Amino acid sequence: MKAVMAMEDRRERHTNYLKLEFPSRAENIGVARLAVAAFASRLPFTVSDIQHDLRVAVSETVTNAVVHGYPKRAGRVVVEAWVDSGRLVVVVQDWGKGFDPAAVAEPDPEGEHMGIGLQIVRACMDKVEIESAPGRGTRVRMEKAPGAGSDGEPATAPRQAGS
């Protein structure tokens, strides 16, 4: 698979990365959310960035993979995270049902895909790219640079050299 090969290339370029692979079960959504938040806490994100933006974006995309990607069967979800030029990059991928991203460009409360979750993800992250097609799965790539959140408090204390 092309996407899997691209993931392998990223791991060679970045010395620190996170990769989770799990069955599409609802109880794994929180695991993914917490793992990405813990990984992101090594960067100078604020508490607000992690609690409100990153955790919400990861929850929404993983929930979409679990609920919409595999509505009638179990499947596989992969979550990856790494740092690229000081920005956190998170990719959530499934090989499930897929959809037409243009069909959810704007929220549609009456449609099959409401699209509200993806609008929330876009509001939480600096950059969101969606690759999907019916029957071919979905890959969501999100980026966020550390910045001042609403609380302005760093998520972690500054690290001493050598720690």
Side-chain angles (χ1 to χ4, degrees):
M1 297 185 110
K2 186 176 181 181
V4 172
M5 290 172 52
M7 288 180 198
E8 298 296 328
D9 292 343
R10 276 192 293 279
R11 280 188 249 144
E12 289 177 13
R13 287 194 323 254
H14 302 286
T15 58
N16 193 18
Y17 63 90
L18 169 73
K19 180 178 180 184
L20 300 171
E21 182 173 324
F22 49 86
S24 60
R25 298 174 57 126
E27 58 265 32
N28 291 328
I29 296 166
V31 173
R33 176 181 59 238
L34 292 173
V36 172
F39 184 82
S41 72
R42 304 282 299 170
L43 296 170
F45 284 110
T46 65
V47 172
S48 179
D49 287 336
I50 291 175
Q51 293 295 326
H52 301 131
D53 293 342
L54 296 173
R55 287 176 50 141
V56 168
V58 171
S59 290
E60 286 292 334
T61 53
V62 174
T63 297
N64 284 346
V66 169
V67 173
H68 300 298
Y70 302 104
K72 296 181 181 177
R73 64 182 173 95
R76 177 171 64 115
V77 178
V78 172
V79 177
E80 284 196 300
W82 66 94
V83 178
D84 190 3
S85 301
R87 298 173 66 82
L88 178 69
V89 179
V90 180
V91 173
V92 176
Q93 184 165 1
D94 69 68
W95 290 264
K97 182 179 171 184
F99 67 98
D100 176 6
V104 294
E106 295 295 323
D108 179 13
E110 303 299 322
E112 178 184 342
H113 297 285
M114 293 174 56
I116 295 169
L118 291 175
Q119 295 299 321
I120 292 170
V121 171
R122 286 184 178 105
C124 291
M125 303 299 283
D126 298 335
K127 183 176 182 181
V128 178
E129 298 171 349
I130 302 168
E131 298 173 19
S132 188
R136 301 185 71 101
T138 301
R139 180 178 182 273
V140 179
R141 184 179 194 277
M142 304 171 282
E143 293 183 21
K144 186 159 187 78
S150 60
D151 59 12
E153 295 178 29
T156 59
R159 305 211 184 276
Q160 299 294 324
S163 52

